[in-house]
Amino acid sequence: MKNVKILHFPLLFVFVHACFAQADFAPFFYDNGPYSYNGNMALFSLSEDTAVGTQIYCLNGSDPEGQEVRYGLSFDPGSKEYFRVNFKTGNITLVEKLDREKHDSIDVLVSITDGQSKVVERVTVFVMDANDEKPEFQNMPAIIDVLETTESGSTIYKVEAVDRDTGSGGSVTYFLLNPQTSLFAMDRNSGVLRIKSGETLDYEKTKTHFVTVIAKDGGGNVNGKEQFMSSSATLTINVIDAQDTPPVFIGTPYFGYVYEISVPGSEIFTVVAKDGDVGSPNPIQYSFDNGDDGVFSINKTSGCITLLTHPMYLKREIFNIKVKATEVSPEGRLLDSGVTTVVIRVVDLNNNPPTFYGESGPQNMFQLTMYEHPPEGEILRGLKITVNDSDQGANAKFNLRLIGPGRMLRVVPQTVLNEAQVTILVEDSAAMDFEKHQFITYKLLAVEIDTPERFSATADIVIHLLDTNDNAPKFSSEYYIARIPENSPGGSNVVSVTATDPDSGPWGDVKYSIYGSGAELFLIQPASGIIYTQPWATLDAEVRSKYNFYVKAEDAEGKYSLAEIFVTVLDLNDHPPAFNENFLEKTMVIGAPVRIEAVDQDAEIPNNVIEYAIMKAEPDNNIFDINVDTGEIMLKSYIKSMAIIHNITKQSDCTWSLVVQARDRGQPSFSTTAVIKIDITEATQLSGGPLGSFLMQSRNNPLQIVGLLAGVISLMVVVTVIISTATFMRNKKSNRILPNRRVRRRKQDPWNLSNPFKKPENPAEKFRVEEEEPEPEPEPEVIVENVNYNNNISNVVRYWPSPPRAPCPPPPPPPYIQGERHWSIPTVSATVAIKPKKKPVMKRQDTVNLALVSELKMRLEQKKMLKH
C-alpha cells in the first residue's frame, strides 16, 4: 500500500501542475467613464461638425497575463463605417462626414484580443448637434389675396419655418425686410403677418404687394465659432378691389361754349366719369345737380350736354352747371357719386379775320420809296396802315409781326385788340443797303391769339431804296507785285490794278493816281488803272532794283482807298566782266599763287558770276593753272624750283605772258581778256636780319604775325601794370600827400615799324605803317582804257579807296555811288598803298618782297571771307 501512494502522488502533482499551466484569462477594456477619450468608447459623444481625418478616441485595455493586445472595430452589416482603428495603438479616426439630422447615434463593435482570447463589446457613439442647418419655410413662397377693406391689425397669413438643428440653433424667429416702408408687421415668434396698425390697403394705389420674410435661427457653434443661419422667401399679396371709391371725372376742368349760330339740340360738351373701383367698376349715371337754368339737358348714360333753346334767349353769359356722376349697382341701386362743375360760356362767333386798310379802304400791298441807310428808329411815315378785326372780345385780339430778310424793320404795336394804327420803324440801318437790296419786301402778318380758328391776314410792304455815295472804291488786292526786265523801253506796261465802287452813277466811277518816293519813273492811266513806265525812264537793276509806291482809287466825291505797289527790276546780263587794267604785271614766287580779279556790274547771279580761264601762255602754254572761280594763277604742281623752269625755257629772266579770259555765266554770256605778265622767282631769305626772315617764314601763316603783335602788346600791358602797381605801393608806404601836377603830353612821332636791322634805303621799307589821319584823303580816280574789242565797253572808271593804316582800325567803307564799285584789299596791320607815280625800276629783291606781301594779303582776304 505504501508503494502505491508513492506511485500515485507524483501522478497527482503532475496533473495539477498541468491544469495550472493551461489556464488563460481574457483581455479587458478600461472603463474610464463617459468624458474620457480612451477606454472602451462607452457613452462617447462626438459633434457633427468634426472634420474628417480627426483622431477622436483611443481604445485602451490590458491582458492579465501581460501579453500584447490588439484592437478591432466593426459595424453592423449594411451600416456606414464612420470610424477606423489602428489595431496596435487603438487610435480611432473619423473617416466619414457626420450629420446629426440623419443619424444621431452610431452603434460600434469594439474588440480587444491577446491572440488567444477576444473580447467584443457593443457601444453607442452619440452624434452631437452643430448649427449647420438653415431654417426651411414650409409654406413659402406663397400668393394670397386680401380684400382692400380688411381692417388694420388683422391677421392675413401665418408663416411657418423649421430648423432641424437642436437647442438654440433649432429655434426660429421671423422678420420683414424693410419693415419701415411696409404696410405689414410680423410677429417674430409665431410668424403671424398682420396689417400694421393705422395702415389700410388701397387697390386704387397699389394692386400688389411683395413682402420678403426672413427666418432666422437662435445661433450655435460650428467649428468652434458661433454662427447664425437664416433664410428668406417672398409672399405676394394681391389686393382685392372693393366698392369703396366714388366715381371720378376724367379731363377736368370742363369748359363749353355756346356760339351765336348754335341751335336747339346742339351738343355743347360731354362729361366722362369712371368708377373709382377700377377692379370691378359699376356703370355710371349722369344728372344735373344745379345751375342749368332749364336751358340745358344731359344724357344720363353718355354725359352729353345739349342746348334746349336759341342763344338769343340765354339770360347769362356764363353758366356754372353742377354735374353729378352716380354708381349703379347690379341690382339697380344708386351707390357712391361724384360732382364736378361744367363752365359754359356764351361767346360771339369768330367769323371775321383781321383786315388791313389803307387810305382808300382794304389793301394788301403798301409801297414806299426812300434813300438807303435811314436813321435807326425813324418812322416810315409814307406807310399809312390800319388793321381791324370786327369780332368782339378774345376773337378780336391778334398779334402783328413782320416777316422778311433780317431785322431791318420793326412793327408797333405787336398786340392789337379790335383796331390799331400800324407803325413801321427802322431797326437796322446798315442792312438797308442799295448795293445789296434795291428793293425790300416784307410780309406784315396779323394772327389771332386765343381763338381756335387762328384767323390771320397778310399784307406786302415793298420799299424801293435810292442809292447814296456810301462806299469808297476798293482794290481787288491790298498790294500788287510786278516784275519788269531792266532796259525795258519807256512806256512799257508794269501792272494793272483794279478797284471797284459798288455805288451807282457817277459815284461808281473810279479814277486812279500814283504817288510816293518810287513813283517818279511810272505813270498810270486814270481810267483803266494800267501802270507803265515814263517815256524817258530807263530801268537799270544795277542802279536800283526795287521800287515801292502807292496807288490811289478815288470816286467823284473824293472817297478813296489805297494799295501798295512793289516793282522789281529784273536783272539782264548787260555788263561784261572788266579787269582793273588790261595789262597787268605780277611777280610769282614758286609755291605761291598770284591773283587777278575782274568785276561784273550786273546786279544778280548768275549774270555777275565770273569764271576765269587761261587762253594763251608764252613762251610755254603748259606751265600755269588758274582757279576758275577765284582767278588765282599758280604753277603746275610738278614745278618745285627754278631749275625746272629753266629746263622748260632758255630765257634767263623767267618772264611769261598770259592771256586770261573772264566770262560771266549770264545768258547771253559776255567775256573780256587781259594780258598778264608774270615774273617767276624763287623764295629767298629777306635781307635785313631776323624780322625779314620771320616775315619770309610766316608768309603762309598770317595768324602767326598777328599772334606776335598780340604777344608784344600783352607784354607791354603787363609791364605797365607792374610799374603802376609798384608806384602806387611806394606812395602808399610813404603816406604823403602828393602835389597835384598837370600832366603835359608831348607830341609823339608817328609809329614807325620799320625794321631796325635794315638800312633806310632798303626796299623793305615799303612795310612802313603810318598813323591814321582824322580825315581820309580824296580817292584818286583811275581811268583804265580797255583795249580788248570783245569787252563791249569803251572805258571803265574805278574809284579806289585809300588803304587802312595801322595801328588804328580801318576807316569806314566809302558811300555807295551808283554805277561805280569801290575796291579795297583788307589786311591785318597795313596795306601797300598804290602810289600814283611813275613806276620805278624794280630790283629782284623788291620783286621778292612784293610777292611776299601779295601772298600775305591774299591769305588774309581768304581768312576774312571764310569768317563771313
Side-chain angles (χ1 to χ4, degrees):
M1 289 293 293
K2 187 176 182 180
N3 292 334
V4 172
K5 290 180 180 180
I6 294 172
L7 291 173
H8 285 280
F9 181 76
L11 292 174
L12 180 60
F13 174 79
V14 173
F15 174 77
V16 173
H17 178 72
C19 291
F20 279 106
Q22 292 179 359
D24 181 29
F25 296 96
F28 59 90
F29 284 105
Y30 296 121
D31 187 0
N32 295 325
Y35 303 107
S36 175
Y37 288 93
N38 62 77
N40 60 352
M41 292 187 76
L43 302 178
F44 178 67
S45 61
L46 181 64
S47 177
E48 66 175 330
D49 60 350
T50 303
V52 174
T54 304
Q55 180 179 332
I56 61 173
Y57 200 83
C58 183
L59 295 177
N60 192 7
S62 178
D63 184 67
E65 290 80 11
Q67 294 184 8
E68 182 181 1
V69 296
R70 295 181 180 272
Y71 304 97
L73 186 148
S74 62
F75 298 85
D76 291 335
S79 299
K80 193 173 184 179
E81 297 183 359
Y82 287 92
F83 312 110
R84 184 178 299 157
V85 66
N86 188 311
F87 66 90
K88 290 184 178 182
T89 62
N91 293 332
I92 297 177
T93 304
L94 179 65
V95 296
E96 292 290 341
K97 179 67 178 175
L98 300 177
D99 189 352
R100 190 206 66 80
E101 286 71 30
K102 293 181 179 179
H103 301 285
D104 58 355
S105 63
I106 302 171
D107 292 332
V108 182
L109 298 175
V110 297
S111 62
I112 184 172
T113 180
D114 58 0
Q116 298 293 329
S117 300
K118 182 177 182 181
V119 177
V120 179
E121 296 182 3
R122 175 181 291 273
V123 296
T124 300
V125 177
F126 298 97
V127 180
M128 305 304 294
D129 186 36
N131 190 24
D132 59 346
E133 296 290 333
K134 294 182 179 180
E136 295 180 359
F137 288 96
Q138 303 299 307
N139 56 353
M140 294 277 282
I143 301 175
I144 62 174
D145 297 330
V146 181
L147 193 64
E148 68 173 333
T149 56
T150 303
E151 295 182 358
S152 175
S154 300
T155 299
I156 60 175
Y157 197 70
K158 187 178 186 303
V159 179
E160 293 183 3
V162 176
D163 194 324
R164 296 189 298 172
D165 291 322
T166 59
S168 62
S171 63
V172 179
T173 54
Y174 304 92
F175 305 93
L176 291 181
L177 184 66
N178 300 324
Q180 296 82 4
T181 60
S182 177
L183 299 177
F184 307 96
M186 173 71 71
D187 185 281
R188 61 177 298 171
N189 296 317
S190 63
V192 172
L193 183 66
R194 297 184 177 89
I195 300 176
K196 274 185 181 180
S197 178
E199 300 286 351
T200 57
L201 302 179
D202 190 349
Y203 176 85
E204 286 69 32
K205 292 182 179 180
T206 307
K207 299 178 178 59
T208 304
H209 299 271
F210 299 95
V211 179
T212 301
V213 181
I214 299 174
K216 184 178 180 182
D217 62 19
N221 289 330
V222 176
N223 297 324
K225 296 181 180 180
E226 187 176 13
Q227 176 175 281
F228 293 88
M229 305 290 285
S230 63
S231 299
S232 64
T234 300
L235 177 65
T236 302
I237 302 173
N238 294 325
V239 181
I240 304 302
D241 190 22
Q243 293 298 327
D244 60 347
T245 304
V248 178
F249 286 94
I250 307 300
T252 58
Y254 294 141
F255 297 94
Y257 300 92
V258 177
Y259 300 101
E260 59 181 347
I261 61 172
S262 299
V263 296
S266 299
E267 293 183 2
I268 305 302
F269 196 81
T270 300
V271 297
V272 178
K274 291 185 178 180
D275 188 356
D277 302 308
V278 296
S280 56
N282 288 325
I284 303 298
Q285 179 178 301
Y286 301 96
S287 62
F288 287 142
D289 200 7
N290 59 56
D292 61 308
D293 291 353
V295 297
F296 299 98
S297 66
I298 187 169
N299 188 304
K300 66 177 182 179
T301 303
S302 65
C304 180
I305 299 174
T306 57
L307 180 66
L308 299 177
T309 184
H310 287 282
M312 59 184 300
Y313 298 115
L314 299 178
K315 299 180 180 180
R316 290 191 292 173
E317 184 179 351
I318 297 177
F319 293 86
N320 293 315
I321 302 175
K322 300 291 185 181
V323 178
K324 179 189 290 185
T326 305
E327 294 183 39
V328 180
S329 68
E331 295 81 14
R333 292 184 297 106
L334 298 179
L335 302 177
D336 293 336
S337 63
V339 179
T340 189
T341 300
V342 179
V343 180
I344 297 178
R345 175 174 294 178
V346 181
V347 296
D348 176 48
L349 182 65
N350 185 26
N351 54 0
N352 295 295
T355 305
F356 292 101
Y357 295 88
E359 293 179 335
S360 59
Q363 188 174 335
N364 58 5
M365 177 176 286
F366 301 87
Q367 298 188 37
L368 177 66
T369 301
M370 60 184 299
Y371 284 104
E372 63 177 340
H373 304 304
E376 292 185 358
E378 179 177 343
I379 299 175
L380 305 186
R381 302 186 184 277
L383 298 175
K384 299 184 182 299
I385 306 172
T386 302
V387 64
N388 175 269
D389 191 325
S390 301
D391 291 319
Q392 301 298 320
N395 292 338
K397 188 176 182 180
F398 53 92
N399 286 336
L400 290 176
R401 65 175 182 267
L402 283 172
I403 301 176
R407 301 181 60 182
M408 304 180 196
L409 304 177
R410 179 166 58 92
V411 63
V412 175
Q414 295 183 353
T415 302
V416 179
L417 182 62
N418 290 117
E419 184 175 314
Q421 184 74 30
V422 179
T423 301
I424 307 296
L425 303 176
V426 176
E427 183 80 6
D428 187 356
S429 175
M432 300 181 68
D433 191 352
F434 175 83
E435 287 71 33
K436 296 180 181 178
H437 314 280
Q438 295 186 9
F439 63 90
I440 302 171
T441 301
Y442 269 83
K443 289 283 187 183
L444 180 58
L445 180 64
V447 182
E448 292 179 348
I449 301 175
D450 298 325
T451 63
E453 296 82 8
R454 303 281 289 179
F455 286 139
S456 64
T458 60
D460 293 329
I461 297 177
V462 180
I463 299 176
H464 298 271
L465 294 179
L466 301 178
D467 192 22
T468 60
N469 188 23
D470 59 333
N471 294 285
K474 185 177 181 180
F475 283 97
S476 59
S477 176
E478 294 182 359
Y479 58 89
Y480 296 87
I481 299 175
R483 296 175 177 85
I484 183 171
E486 65 176 345
N487 297 334
S488 297
S492 299
N493 289 347
V494 179
V495 66
S496 177
V497 299
T498 303
T500 56
D501 192 328
D503 292 322
S504 61
W507 295 321
D509 296 335
V510 180
K511 293 184 178 180
Y512 301 94
S513 60
I514 59 174
Y515 68 95
S517 61
E520 60 274 1
L521 297 182
F522 303 93
L523 294 175
I524 187 169
Q525 294 182 4
S528 65
I530 297 176
I531 299 175
Y532 56 95
T533 60
Q534 294 272 12
W536 48 265
T538 301
L539 300 179
D540 190 349
E542 289 75 36
V543 176
R544 184 174 180 180
S545 62
K546 303 290 184 182
Y547 293 90
N548 176 218
F549 53 91
Y550 292 91
V551 59
K552 179 180 180 182
E554 186 175 10
D555 63 15
E557 289 189 352
K559 291 188 176 182
Y560 68 91
S561 62
L562 301 176
E564 197 166 2
I565 307 297
F566 298 92
V567 179
T568 300
V569 179
L570 301 178
D571 183 43
L572 299 178
N573 191 23
D574 56 349
H575 289 85
F579 289 99
N580 293 335
E581 297 178 2
N582 286 359
F583 181 80
L584 301 175
E585 292 185 357
K586 298 287 185 178
T587 300
M588 175 180 289
V589 179
I590 294 178
V594 296
R595 183 178 179 181
I596 61 173
E597 185 175 21
V599 178
D600 193 317
Q601 292 186 356
D602 287 316
E604 299 177 0
I605 60 174
N607 297 335
N608 58 5
V609 178
I610 299 174
E611 295 179 348
Y612 299 92
I614 298 176
M615 308 302 294
K616 184 178 180 182
E618 292 181 355
D620 189 280
N621 201 33
N622 194 27
I623 189 173
F624 295 100
D625 287 329
I626 189 169
N627 189 303
V628 177
D629 298 321
T630 64
E632 289 185 347
I633 301 174
M634 61 199 76
L635 293 171
K636 295 284 187 180
S637 58
Y638 65 87
I639 299 176
K640 302 295 184 180
S641 63
M642 292 295 295
I644 299 176
I645 296 176
H646 286 304
N647 292 333
I648 296 174
T649 178
K650 302 304 181 181
Q651 299 179 6
S652 60
D653 56 355
C654 295
T655 300
W656 257 257
S657 294
L658 281 71
V659 178
V660 177
Q661 182 191 66
R663 177 181 293 275
D664 61 28
R665 295 183 181 179
Q667 291 295 332
S669 178
F670 292 99
S671 64
T672 186
T673 58
V675 178
I676 314 297
K677 182 179 180 182
I678 298 178
D679 185 15
I680 303 175
T681 184
E682 194 169 17
T684 58
Q685 181 70 23
L686 287 176
S687 60
L691 180 59
S693 301
F694 175 76
L695 291 176
M696 188 63 186
Q697 294 173 1
S698 303
R699 67 182 186 275
N700 294 327
N701 189 5
L703 291 179
Q704 189 172 356
I705 300 176
V706 177
L708 175 63
L709 294 176
V712 172
I713 294 173
S714 300
L715 180 61
M716 294 174 63
V717 171
V718 171
V719 171
T720 303
V721 170
I722 294 175
I723 294 174
S724 301
T725 304
T727 305
F728 174 76
M729 295 302 296
R730 185 190 64 182
N731 294 338
K732 187 176 180 181
K733 286 184 178 182
S734 62
N735 198 18
R736 295 182 302 168
I737 299 178
L738 297 179
N740 185 14
R741 294 187 296 177
R742 179 177 298 175
V743 179
R744 287 189 173 183
R745 296 184 178 272
R746 291 184 303 173
K747 186 176 181 180
Q748 298 180 358
D749 296 332
W751 291 1
N752 189 349
L753 301 182
S754 59
N755 192 343
F757 304 100
K758 293 189 64 178
K759 296 180 181 181
E761 61 275 4
N762 195 293
E765 209 171 36
K766 291 183 179 181
F767 288 92
R768 182 180 73 254
V769 179
E770 298 178 358
E771 186 177 1
E772 184 180 4
E773 297 178 1
E775 294 292 333
E777 296 178 357
E779 299 169 354
E781 178 177 285
V782 181
I783 301 177
V784 181
E785 183 178 357
N786 192 339
V787 298
N788 295 306
Y789 294 102
N790 62 340
N791 289 346
N792 303 317
I793 56 174
S794 59
N795 57 68
V796 180
V797 179
R798 298 290 184 269
Y799 291 92
W800 295 86
S802 59
R805 302 169 185 267
C808 297
Y816 174 77
I817 301 175
Q818 293 184 352
E820 300 173 356
R821 289 187 184 272
H822 298 272
W823 301 88
S824 60
I825 303 176
T827 62
V828 175
S829 59
T831 57
V832 179
I834 301 176
K835 298 180 180 180
K837 296 180 180 180
K838 186 177 180 180
K839 185 176 180 181
V841 180
M842 299 179 64
K843 299 180 181 180
R844 183 175 181 83
Q845 185 67 28
D846 295 336
T847 303
V848 174
N849 292 339
L850 287 175
L852 292 176
V853 173
S854 176
E855 182 180 1
L856 179 60
K857 290 193 295 181
M858 178 192 66
R859 293 183 180 275
L860 291 177
E861 184 178 1
Q862 292 177 352
K863 208 78 172 180
K864 184 176 180 181
M865 292 177 63
L866 290 176
K867 288 182 179 180
H868 290 287

